[in-house]
Amino acid sequence: MSNIPETGRTPRVQIRLMVIQVLVFSLLLTLGGRLWYLQVRNGREYTDEAKSNHVQQVVQPAVRGSILDTRGVPLADNETRLVVSTSRTELMKMEDGGKAVLTRLADVLGMKPKEVMDKVRLCDSKTPQPCWNGSPYQPIPVTDEATTQQALQIRERAEDFPGVTAEPTAVRRYTAPGLANTAQVLGYLSPVTDEEITKAQDTDSPYLRSDQVGRSGLERTYDKELRGKAGVTRYEVDNLGRVIGLARSDVAVPGDHVVTSVDARVQAVAEYELNEAMKAARKEMDRNTNTHYKADSGAVVVMEAKTGRVVAMASQPTYDPNAWVGGISAKDYARLTGKKSNFPLLNRAIQGQAAPGSIFKVVSSTAAVRAGYNFNGNYPCPSSYSIGGQTFQNFESRGYGSITLGKALEVSCDTVFYGLAHKEWIKDGGLKPKKDAKNWFYTTAHLFGLGKETGIDLPNEVTGRVPDREWKQKFWEANKDGWCKQGKKGGTYIQRLAYEGCLEGNRMRAGDSVNYSIGQGDILVTPIQMATIYSAISNGGTLYNPVVGKAIVSADGKHVRKIEPKSHGKLPMNQKTRDQIDKALAAVTTTGSAAWRFGGWPQKQIPMHAKTGTAEVYGKQTTSWFASYTSDYTIVMTISQGGTGSGASGPAVRKIYEAMYGLDPKGKQDISKALMPEPRTELPKILPDGQIEAPKILPYDPPKEPLDEQTLAGPPALVTARRD
């Protein structure tokens, strides 16, 4: 036995007991505090969350607003289709998870059982499309193309199809009135993504999982207005997911209508004539390559000159936006996006970039005047212009002697602009630019709005490019390493270019400036930019933001918000210069490079102004451009690898004007046949019950009467040498 007294242990035991008591008390205090925080401080929050766990939402999608043309003709609306849907909640109650029901449903719909089952499964990170990305408590659509017979079978044999419904439902439709496809302008819809839902959840227009959202065109720009507000019915459910009551119901609010300035009849004409011009170009031989022109893509813009409103906009190749309705198939998606498709989803009117050729000369003429050159002064137009060891030619080496800037525009003389641009390059310091260099030819292009977006109300517009000294430096810095790696002195043409670029790609050479002055080289523009410029020349100098939307109108027609045209500046020219350029462009169609395409045009009644352009692109055939305007409208057309401006695009542009003004090929006007002799200002009428008063239109029927003998015979000898 130990000799230590019992009392010697007592203090240490007591201390240990006290420590344990303090520890237990602290833990109890912490636990109590946490319980107070959860039950008292944040009790309501967690109570609400607990309640929401037993409330599930069923969404009734809002009817999407229509997109209307300027007279109220629907370009995009909704049609009633028989939609077959399934209730996942009901299917999950079945022993086999609804497999037998879905198999019978597939047999009725003429689908494969797996196809149906895939459509009703829920999406997650491991489940590929097709799958359902919405609420599992919402009816899941299997098809929106059910026939009446199929719907009757499902409804009459309800006992064989528990949880399956076949109901009429509004589905998006792109109507193509009068065969006016308008695909790239309208855009298309597709289901909302999780990322978009998260991003929009704190905004005033959050997405629901059932929403279809605009992916391009007007559907995207005006998605918020068109979408409306979905109705939501909230059901109380038990812990097994069974509905036990109705919590709350919000009625759906239909989307607004978007009225556009597009006229479906003119749109149909523009699409048809662009396509016909491309087909005609493919029949013509390119004498530079001894092959037919490829004419692989093109675009046309028809615009109100005084407002910037777009009357028609077509792009080729095109597509049917209905392919996206109800979800695009893998086959159609590959067809629209594959390498061989030539990218029909692109709107080449606002996304197609190319060198403008001679239609750029209105910019160069203005730059020359700003630099101090007299518009009516005399400037040599020889057959060629030499700089060092390089010679720049007029087409087929034709010279016109000493001419004015106006005449240079009329006959499209390149060498006049070569000479002026070369002089200004020297004044600016040449290869060693001065600090105070004026750079008139480049700064003027920027003031015309080139090198930046026009501000049109369509998404994904591109900026084009003005290749000034600043751009040269940045481009060189970005590409120097690649050029130096690829370049080779005395190698192939591409290798020699890369070699020169590596050494001095940042230097503005004389050849760069003279080539740029006639719209060649590194400059890039879009059709919408050039339409904006030529509209400004027509209206006296105001540069408008092009606009397709004309008004937002509520579904009942009671509330109207007009979309007014906005200006982003003035042309950098005075009224005198504008009038001089205007006169020269009128002469282009009477005695100049486009005269052979406008024989018989009623110039006194409807003065026509135009500029032809043919841009050369290394490794490709020439790009055709035709820019024109009257006092009412501007039309710009371009065809990639299509040949000359007057040869390929000119005739099509004339036919569009003829349809709008009611002219026959000989220039005689019948106003009753005119589609749009003047811009339309009034809005279509929408009745309180939602009905839209709109005329019916027929497909465009091109005139069959042949052109006069002189036009059919081709250009007169005076202008056969002009490439434009």
Side-chain angles (χ1 to χ4, degrees):
M1 290 183 64
S2 174
N3 294 324
I4 300 174
E6 189 68 26
T7 56
R9 295 181 179 178
T10 302
R12 283 183 288 177
V13 172
Q14 289 177 339
I15 292 172
R16 289 174 182 170
L17 288 173
M18 289 178 64
V19 170
I20 292 172
Q21 288 173 345
V22 171
L23 182 61
V24 170
F25 181 75
S26 299
L27 290 172
L28 289 172
L29 185 64
T30 301
L31 181 60
R34 181 61 177 167
L35 287 172
W36 176 86
Y37 180 81
L38 293 174
Q39 295 184 9
V40 180
R41 177 69 182 273
N42 280 16
R44 177 166 298 189
E45 177 184 342
Y46 289 104
T47 299
D48 291 342
E49 287 192 15
K51 287 181 180 178
S52 66
N53 288 337
H54 293 83
V55 176
Q56 296 296 339
Q57 296 184 156
V58 173
V59 177
Q60 296 84 40
V63 175
R64 193 172 179 87
S66 297
I67 301 176
L68 310 174
D69 90 336
T70 189
R71 301 191 305 156
V73 177
L75 301 172
D77 62 6
N78 307 288
E79 66 176 339
T80 300
R81 294 188 187 178
L82 286 171
V83 177
V84 175
S85 304
T86 63
S87 169
R88 184 174 174 81
T89 302
E90 293 296 321
L91 295 176
M92 291 301 100
K93 292 178 183 179
M94 303 172 191
E95 291 183 2
D96 63 351
K99 185 175 181 180
V101 173
L102 294 177
T103 301
R104 288 194 294 272
L105 181 60
D107 183 58
V108 170
L109 297 176
M111 301 169 68
K112 295 179 180 179
K114 183 180 183 303
E115 187 179 357
V116 175
M117 293 176 191
D118 285 350
K119 285 198 170 189
V120 301
R121 63 185 177 176
L122 301 181
C123 292
D124 58 31
S125 59
K126 297 180 181 179
T127 304
Q129 290 283 352
C131 58
W132 176 244
N133 196 38
S135 168
Y137 294 93
Q138 187 157 338
I140 302 174
V142 175
T143 180
D144 61 4
E145 297 180 342
T147 64
T148 303
Q149 185 178 1
Q150 290 169 338
L152 287 173
Q153 280 185 270
I154 294 168
R155 301 188 73 164
E156 289 175 354
R157 295 163 49 197
E159 68 279 1
D160 292 334
F161 299 102
V164 179
T165 59
E167 302 288 347
T169 306
V171 176
R172 199 60 164 173
R173 175 181 65 169
Y174 299 96
T175 60
L179 301 182
N181 189 33
T182 330
Q184 291 87 355
V185 175
L186 295 174
Y188 56 89
L189 305 176
S190 69
V192 67
T193 64
D194 290 340
E195 182 181 351
E196 288 169 329
I197 292 172
T198 302
K199 188 175 180 180
Q201 63 185 3
D202 295 327
T203 67
D204 60 351
S205 183
Y207 289 120
L208 297 171
R209 286 195 176 276
S210 61
D211 279 337
Q212 295 274 318
V213 297
R215 293 299 176 202
S216 67
L218 296 172
E219 292 279 29
R220 177 173 169 180
T221 300
Y222 297 104
D223 181 73
K224 180 179 177 181
E225 291 83 355
L226 289 165
R227 187 163 20 110
K229 186 177 181 180
V232 180
T233 302
R234 297 167 179 82
Y235 292 99
E236 294 180 358
V237 298
D238 60 19
N239 57 354
L240 296 178
R242 293 174 298 196
V243 176
I244 60 176
L246 178 65
R248 196 174 109 194
S249 182
D250 297 326
V251 179
V253 178
D256 295 332
H257 301 306
V258 174
V259 179
T260 71
S261 53
V262 171
D263 186 295
R265 302 166 303 171
V266 180
Q267 177 71 27
V269 175
E271 291 179 8
Y272 178 88
E273 295 299 348
L274 173 62
N275 190 50
E276 288 298 302
M278 292 172 64
K279 289 195 295 186
R282 295 184 194 119
K283 297 177 182 178
E284 298 295 325
M285 291 293 294
D286 178 4
R287 58 187 170 184
N288 294 318
T289 63
N290 291 320
T291 60
H292 288 95
Y293 285 108
K294 295 179 181 178
D296 53 357
S297 62
V300 60
V301 176
V302 183
M303 183 186 293
E304 292 179 9
K306 294 183 177 69
T307 65
R309 295 194 185 279
V310 174
V311 177
M313 179 182 285
S315 177
Q316 283 284 351
T318 189
Y319 68 97
D320 182 3
N322 287 298
W324 295 87
V325 176
I328 191 167
S329 68
K331 182 179 180 181
D332 283 340
Y333 187 79
R335 181 173 55 83
L336 294 178
T337 59
K339 292 182 179 179
K340 295 182 180 179
S341 69
N342 201 14
F343 311 108
L345 298 180
L346 284 178
N347 183 348
R348 285 174 165 81
I350 65 171
Q351 296 173 297
Q353 302 180 106
S358 292
I359 67 169
F360 180 74
K361 288 174 181 173
V362 294
V363 179
S364 295
S365 297
T366 306
V369 173
R370 295 183 74 227
Y373 298 93
N374 187 339
F375 190 89
N376 290 322
N378 289 315
Y379 306 98
C381 176
S383 61
S384 64
Y385 190 89
S386 296
I387 301 175
Q390 190 173 8
T391 300
F392 296 84
Q393 302 278 354
N394 257 351
F395 189 67
E396 291 188 351
S397 301
R398 181 175 177 82
Y400 289 87
S402 184
I403 59 176
T404 65
L405 282 177
K407 192 67 176 180
L409 283 174
E410 177 187 334
V411 299
S412 208
C413 175
D414 293 338
T415 50
V416 165
F417 297 97
Y418 290 154
L420 295 175
H422 189 203
K423 288 179 180 178
E424 288 307 303
W425 177 80
I426 294 172
K427 287 181 181 179
D428 290 334
L431 292 175
K432 297 180 179 180
K434 301 175 182 177
K435 290 184 178 180
D436 61 346
K438 299 297 184 181
N439 295 312
W440 288 113
F441 279 76
Y442 298 95
T443 57
T444 301
H446 284 294
L447 292 172
F448 267 78
L450 297 177
K452 59 185 177 182
E453 299 174 358
T454 63
I456 189 171
D457 56 341
L458 291 174
N460 303 318
E461 181 187 5
V462 298
T463 62
R465 181 170 69 204
V466 176
D468 52 19
R469 295 181 190 273
E470 182 181 354
W471 174 84
K472 270 274 190 182
Q473 181 65 30
K474 291 180 179 178
F475 190 69
W476 178 71
E477 291 171 358
N479 293 277
K480 180 183 177 183
D481 292 342
W483 285 338
C484 293
K485 185 176 181 180
Q486 182 185 16
K488 181 180 179 181
K489 187 176 182 180
T492 64
Y493 179 73
I494 296 296
Q495 288 173 327
R496 294 198 306 272
L497 283 180
Y499 179 77
E500 292 175 7
C502 172
L503 294 179
E504 52 180 30
N506 60 333
R507 304 178 75 182
M508 180 69 74
R509 294 166 296 187
D512 295 326
S513 286
V514 300
N515 218 19
Y516 161 82
S517 71
I518 63 163
Q520 296 280 177
D522 291 319
I523 183 173
L524 294 175
V525 302
T526 64
I528 195 66
Q529 287 175 328
M530 299 313 295
T532 302
I533 287 172
Y534 276 80
S535 287
I537 298 173
S538 173
N539 69 38
T542 302
L543 289 161
Y544 282 102
N545 296 2
V547 62
V548 183
K550 195 173 182 180
I552 307 297
V553 184
S554 62
D556 58 7
K558 293 181 179 179
H559 304 286
V560 178
R561 174 169 65 87
K562 291 186 178 181
I563 302 170
E564 300 294 347
K566 296 180 180 178
S567 168
H568 60 262
K570 286 278 196 178
L571 291 179
M573 62 175 72
N574 58 29
Q575 189 63 39
K576 179 181 178 181
T577 302
R578 180 265 164 197
D579 291 344
Q580 290 169 331
I581 290 176
D582 179 77
K583 183 179 179 181
L585 296 179
V588 170
T589 64
T590 55
T591 57
S593 58
W596 69 292
R597 288 302 191 188
F598 280 83
W601 182 267
Q603 190 70 6
K604 290 184 178 180
Q605 292 76 24
I606 307 172
M608 176 63 63
H609 307 74
K611 186 71 196 79
T612 56
T614 306
E616 297 172 353
V617 182
Y618 175 74
K620 292 186 176 183
Q621 295 168 312
T622 54
T623 299
S624 168
W625 284 93
F626 197 91
S628 63
Y629 64 84
T630 63
S631 61
D632 304 301
Y633 301 107
T634 299
I635 301 181
V636 172
M637 180 179 287
T638 182
I639 300 176
S640 170
Q641 302 197 91
T644 66
S646 61
S649 299
V653 170
R654 173 171 179 159
K655 289 175 183 177
I656 298 171
Y657 278 118
E658 287 174 345
M660 296 178 74
Y661 285 112
L663 298 169
D664 67 18
K666 293 184 178 180
K668 184 178 179 181
Q669 187 175 32
D670 182 350
I671 201 68
S672 67
K673 295 181 179 179
L675 299 183
M676 207 172 185
E678 59 185 21
R680 180 183 175 91
T681 57
E682 62 268 30
L683 294 175
K685 188 175 182 180
I686 300 175
L687 303 177
D689 63 357
Q691 294 294 313
I692 301 168
E693 291 189 351
K696 292 183 179 180
I697 65 173
L698 298 174
Y700 169 54
D701 184 20
K704 303 297 189 297
E705 186 179 349
L707 295 173
D708 58 78
E709 293 181 3
Q710 179 182 340
T711 303
L712 290 172
L718 177 64
V719 292
T720 52
R722 286 306 313 143
R723 70 176 171 200
D724 295 328

